[in-house]
Amino acid sequence: NQIVSCEALLRWNSKEMGKIAPDIFIPLAEESGLIIEIGEWVLNEAMSVLNYWHSLGFNHLGMSVNVSALQLLRSKLATQIGLLIQKFNLPAYCIELEITESMVLSHHSQPLSNLWGLKDLGVTLSLDDFGTGYSSLSYLKQLPIDTLKIDKSFICEIGPNTNDNTFVKTIIVLGHSLGMTVFAEGVEFEGHMDELKKLGCDEIQGYFLAKPMIASECLAFIIQHEEQNEFLRNSNQLDSDDNIKRV
């Protein structure tokens, strides 16, 4: 029941064309090469926001950012992120970079060596959309991955006595056996969260918690959540003290 991190999501509101979905403009940006410049801007913005949140006392929060294949293939990515971490005075482990399994496996050794360069910085590395690609367990052991993110297509169908539970449970056991944190995307109902708790999942993300929002709204949401948790903690402490006195 703790907010531990947020994910930086890219949205485009064009004056000429209105709102343009990421699944439309991201492939075009990758094809044209503009994704490199866009990715650099996103990393800078995300760390700037996290620096501000930390300055307000929310030092426990992390920020995850999706990295494209072109960014990962660039050997300078680790240097760039290292400079941003210094610029914004952030603990490296608070920065989580999300990659997909197909991104790594389709380019062979180059992304793997760059991943180790990023790992040496101390940032957290996450394998996104796990279960949708051509996963190789032997290759998975070679990756310096900290977190497995189970794709939302498997989460939306979980519930009492469903086959998806078995698959999700298998991923959770696999991830834990490799010393990884296991993360579920696409949690939209309380029932999803309850089942994931039973299955031993570590962290969740989805519309059940909150929908995408701009940074200022997200900060207000975090503050409200922290205040509610503090109130509950104090209430529980009062109940505990009262019980001790009665005994």
Side-chain angles (χ1 to χ4, degrees), residues 101-246:
E101 53 187 324
S102 59
M103 185 191 303
V104 177
L105 297 179
S106 61
H107 293 89
H108 305 295
S109 61
Q110 183 61 33
L112 183 59
S113 61
N114 288 346
L115 279 180
W116 280 106
L118 292 167
K119 186 64 177 175
D120 289 341
L121 283 176
V123 300
T124 303
L125 297 177
S126 173
L127 198 59
D128 199 12
D129 302 332
F130 186 76
T132 59
Y134 41 95
S135 309
S136 169
L137 298 185
S138 60
Y139 207 82
L140 186 60
K141 292 194 299 182
Q142 302 176 42
L143 301 176
I145 298 297
D146 302 288
T147 303
L148 283 185
K149 294 190 74 172
I150 307 173
D151 187 72
K152 60 184 179 182
S153 61
F154 302 107
I155 304 303
C156 64
E157 298 296 333
I158 65 170
N161 305 316
T162 68
N163 291 331
D164 290 275
N165 288 24
T166 302
F167 188 83
V168 170
K169 177 64 176 179
T170 301
I171 295 178
I172 293 171
V173 172
L174 170 66
H176 287 168
S177 68
L178 294 172
M180 300 175 183
T181 298
V182 183
F183 189 109
E185 300 180 290
V187 177
E188 298 191 358
F189 304 103
E190 187 172 5
H192 290 163
M193 184 182 70
D194 292 340
E195 289 298 322
L196 288 164
K197 279 184 177 181
K198 294 176 185 176
L199 295 173
C201 190
D202 301 304
E203 299 175 7
I204 63 172
Q205 174 185 7
Y207 282 12
F208 173 68
L209 302 177
K211 293 185 177 182
M213 59 188 87
I214 61 174
S216 58
E217 293 173 347
C218 189
L219 176 60
F221 176 82
I222 291 168
I223 292 172
Q224 182 182 30
H225 186 275
E226 292 288 324
E227 289 175 347
Q228 288 176 345
N229 270 3
E230 183 65 24
F231 175 77
L232 290 174
R233 281 193 294 268
N234 291 337
S235 296
N236 289 336
Q237 182 63 44
L238 288 172
D239 290 342
S240 176
D241 291 344
D242 187 46
N243 286 336
I244 292 173
K245 291 172 183 176
R246 288 179 181 177

Side-chain angles (χ1 to χ4, degrees), residues 74-123:
R74 291 185 67 194
S75 59
K76 294 182 179 180
L77 182 59
T79 301
Q80 175 200 354
I81 291 176
L83 290 173
L84 287 173
I85 288 172
Q86 292 180 5
K87 174 183 176 181
F88 293 109
N89 192 30
L90 293 168
Y93 63 84
C94 288
I95 306 301
E96 181 174 7
L97 303 178
E98 296 192 15
I99 60 171
T100 62
E101 53 187 324
S102 59
M103 185 191 303
V104 177
L105 297 179
S106 61
H107 293 89
H108 305 295
S109 61
Q110 183 61 33
L112 183 59
S113 61
N114 288 346
L115 279 180
W116 280 106
L118 292 167
K119 186 64 177 175
D120 289 341
L121 283 176
V123 300

Side-chain angles (χ1 to χ4, degrees), residues 49-68:
V49 168
L50 187 62
N51 168 268
Y52 175 58
W53 290 353
H54 279 204
S55 72
L56 297 177
F58 300 112
N59 305 78
H60 61 286
L61 290 178
M63 181 75 74
S64 64
V65 181
N66 293 281
V67 177
S68 74

